[in-house]
DNA sequence: CCTAACAAGTAGCGTAGCTACACATGAAGG
DNA sequence: CCTTCATGTGTAGCTACGCTACTTGTTAGG
């Protein structure tokens, strides 16, 4: 999948992944790849800056820990992040229904696929 | 709707609108606004360059005409454009399903909205 | 006359994901 | 022992693309 299409939706994906439990950056990349069956294979140069953006926005918080001599920065959702995720979900639904109206002819929004 | 999210999907929307018949730039903007119930209100600075991109790519062709003393540039889908639209539709479905896997099931475990 | 709607267009900006690096440790293999 | 790979974090610079703000021109209405 062309990952450029993610533009504007990556934050939502990161928040959604972290919703199921705190993870460190590298694990987030693997989680995205696993849960998307390999469709989403995002480079570190995309994920790390995105996580710092989310932290600066207060949507995630990070804590350092050392595992096997390696430094890990584990990210967890904040309350604000959880609220942001809800907003992102609403935005996604609107986006999906709006674009779908043009690209999914015949598929009524809300109808079971 | 935040229109920035369109990133990478605008071409598909334009092709989809032109699929139903040739239109000039201004009319395309109005068609997008109408068919999206006002959600998509795109500025000319977005549409005109996008149409020239599509023309350069060979996905649309344009013809000038004069209506009421006003110059109109009418765009119509080419065969390549029709094929491109089919590809964009496939891409959209994949994108939708991939992102949806992260953002859609979230409402299930909590409370039905 | 002046403003608003119609119609097309460009220059320059900002956001954000990508490429290509650098750096460090631990495990595996020759 | 040394190399290579997987793990793990991070930055600098590039590029794509939609947006803001502007210009040009015609017709219609107050």
């Amino acid at each position: 999948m062309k990952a450029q299409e993610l533009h504007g939706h990556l934050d939502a994906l990161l928040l959604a992944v972290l919703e199921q439990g705190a993870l460190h950056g590298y694990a987030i990349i693997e989680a995205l790849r696993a849960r998307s069956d390999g469709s989403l294979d995002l480079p570190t140069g995309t994920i790390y800056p995105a996580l710092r953006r989310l932290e600066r926005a207060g949507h995630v918080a990070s804590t350092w820990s050392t595992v096997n001599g390696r430094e890990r920065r584990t990210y967890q959702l904040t309350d604000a992040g959880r609220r942001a995720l809800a907003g992102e979900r609403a935005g996604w639904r609107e986006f999906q229904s709006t674009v779908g109206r043009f690209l999914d002819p015949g598929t009524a929004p809300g109808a079971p696929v």
Side-chain angles (χ1 to χ4, degrees), chain A:
Chain A
M1 197 182 95
K2 290 183 298 176
Q4 290 93 324
E5 301 170 349
L6 280 182
H7 244 287
H9 304 284
L10 177 60
D11 289 7
L13 289 184
L14 294 178
L15 294 175
V17 166
L18 289 177
E19 191 186 27
Q20 315 206 318
L23 289 175
H24 60 283
Y26 198 85
I28 290 175
I29 293 174
E30 291 180 320
L32 286 168
R33 186 169 45 225
R35 279 180 63 187
S36 69
D37 290 326
S39 296
L40 290 174
D41 196 1
L42 305 180
T44 67
T46 291
I47 266 54
Y48 290 119
L51 287 169
R52 315 195 103 233
R53 247 191 293 131
L54 289 175
E55 186 166 29
R56 210 160 44 232
H59 295 161
V60 303
S62 68
T63 47
W64 284 98
S65 59
T66 304
V67 178
N68 284 340
R70 292 197 192 96
E71 297 278 301
R72 272 188 188 173
R73 190 174 192 169
T74 302
Y75 292 89
Q76 58 219 322
L77 227 53
T78 62
D79 283 347
R82 236 168 278 275
R83 284 192 297 273
L85 177 54
E88 296 275 11
R89 282 211 161 95
W92 165 251
R93 260 186 284 278
E94 190 190 350
F95 174 75
Q96 191 180 211
S97 112
T98 299
V99 177
R101 211 173 305 177
F102 293 90
L103 296 182
D104 280 337
T107 304
V113 182

